[in-house]
Amino acid sequence: MITVDEIKRMLPHRYPMLLVDRVTELVPGERASGLKAVTCNEPWYEGMPDTATEEDYHYPWTVLIESWCHVAGVLVTWDRPNPDVRSGKAMLLGGISDAEFHRPVVPGDVVEHHVRLARQVGETYVFEGESLVGKEIALTIGRLTMTMRPASDLADPPVPDQPVAEPHVPGPSLPDPPVPDPF
């Protein structure tokens, strides 16, 4: 079992975006499972009125996917932790396809994410999997692509000194050219 202190040694995410509480299974190069306990004290519920309904408390789908991705991130960085992406490698999401939401997640639910590595080509990874609440599927991911790149490749390139251009002063507007008659 991988606890939150170990997860923080592998991923750069911190409050409020560290979205996995524990990794319960990890088979390097194959699969991982992790848990996320959803509570009403999370930042997306801040300011929720006392009159809010259970529907108002549906966990944001984008945050649920991000939580699933954190388990994938632990699977990728298990053998090479990277808590400071400014000096190491940055984890970049390439895209998601065939994501389906099956049931809302609400405070009090414990989400169990299952991530499987479907393919790896160099530093690019393709995952698939699902998230469950109890025995009910809440989310399925058909394909998620992630890649690792050196953080230095993502830094802003130096901007060379460029001459200052004269400001553009608009001249008189010209009429639109005639439109040819198609007949």
Side-chain angles (χ1 to χ4, degrees):
M1 183 171 320
I2 301 169
T3 59
V4 73
D5 61 319
E6 294 172 288
I7 292 168
K8 288 170 83 172
R9 286 186 224 137
M10 288 181 260
L11 299 178
H13 305 79
R14 299 295 182 265
Y15 177 86
M17 290 306 292
L18 179 57
L19 300 172
V20 62
D21 300 318
R22 182 173 297 156
V23 174
T24 56
E25 177 190 34
L26 188 128
V27 178
E30 288 184 33
R31 68 183 182 274
S33 296
L35 301 175
K36 167 64 180 152
V38 177
T39 73
C40 61
N41 293 317
E42 299 195 39
W44 11 97
Y45 301 127
E46 186 177 340
M48 191 71 74
D50 290 342
T51 57
T53 65
E54 183 176 41
E55 186 174 298
D56 294 329
Y57 281 95
H58 287 185
Y59 201 66
W61 293 122
T62 54
V63 179
L64 184 64
I65 290 173
E66 178 74 16
S67 180
W68 188 90
C69 289
H70 288 194
V71 177
V74 170
L75 180 56
V76 167
T77 61
W78 172 249
D79 60 343
R80 51 193 168 139
N82 189 38
D84 183 6
V85 295
R86 294 169 295 183
S87 62
K89 293 213 174 181
M91 190 179 304
L92 304 173
L93 176 65
I96 301 172
S97 63
D98 301 323
E100 294 183 32
F101 305 105
H102 303 279
R103 110 189 249 294
V105 174
V106 295
D109 286 343
V110 175
V111 181
E112 185 175 359
H113 299 298
H114 297 277
V115 175
R116 292 177 297 282
L117 180 61
R119 187 171 181 191
Q120 178 181 353
V121 178
E123 294 280 333
T124 301
Y125 305 86
V126 178
F127 300 100
E128 61 188 18
E130 59 280 326
S131 298
L132 299 112
V133 175
K135 294 183 183 217
E136 291 183 81
I137 294 176
L139 165 72
T140 54
I141 303 278
R143 178 178 299 145
L144 183 134
T145 305
M146 177 189 298
T147 190
M148 301 292 284
R149 292 293 182 261
S152 59
D153 289 357
L154 304 174
D156 290 334
V159 178
D161 291 335
Q162 296 197 4
V164 178
E166 293 293 323
H168 174 71
V169 179
S173 60
L174 300 173
D176 290 333
V179 178
D181 186 353
F183 299 105

